[in-house]
Amino acid sequence: ALLSLQLEDWLEMDQPVNIPGTVDEYPNWRRKLSTTLDDIFTRQNIIDLTRRLTETREKASQ
């Protein structure tokens, strides 16, 4: 089973990142996350979330 999560949801960002489009319609793929990956995975709330996700997936696979 696959699980896909958006990092901007984890960061509670209200604007999506990496939205495809054309130069005239939207600044193609230029939006970035509000923080670095190193920072994201040192945040206690993210650590707690990933731990709960792992535990839930392990239970579901048994």
Side-chain angles (χ1 to χ4, degrees):
L2 297 176
L3 174 66
S4 175
L5 302 167
Q6 296 293 113
L7 288 177
E8 60 261 34
D9 292 340
W10 292 17
L11 298 172
E12 299 177 4
M13 295 175 63
D14 61 352
Q15 297 289 324
V17 297
N18 291 335
I19 302 296
T22 66
V23 176
D24 296 328
E25 295 172 353
Y26 192 84
N28 193 20
W29 301 98
R30 293 187 189 164
R31 279 200 159 145
K32 304 297 179 198
L33 291 173
S34 60
T35 188
T36 66
L37 288 176
D38 289 335
D39 179 55
I40 291 170
F41 293 105
T42 59
R43 293 181 180 196
Q44 190 60 49
N45 64 324
I46 300 297
I47 293 168
D48 295 341
L49 173 63
T50 57
R51 183 182 314 113
R52 288 192 313 268
L53 286 168
T54 299
E55 290 169 357
T56 302
R57 294 189 73 199
E58 286 173 348
K59 288 177 186 175
S61 67
Q62 294 176 353

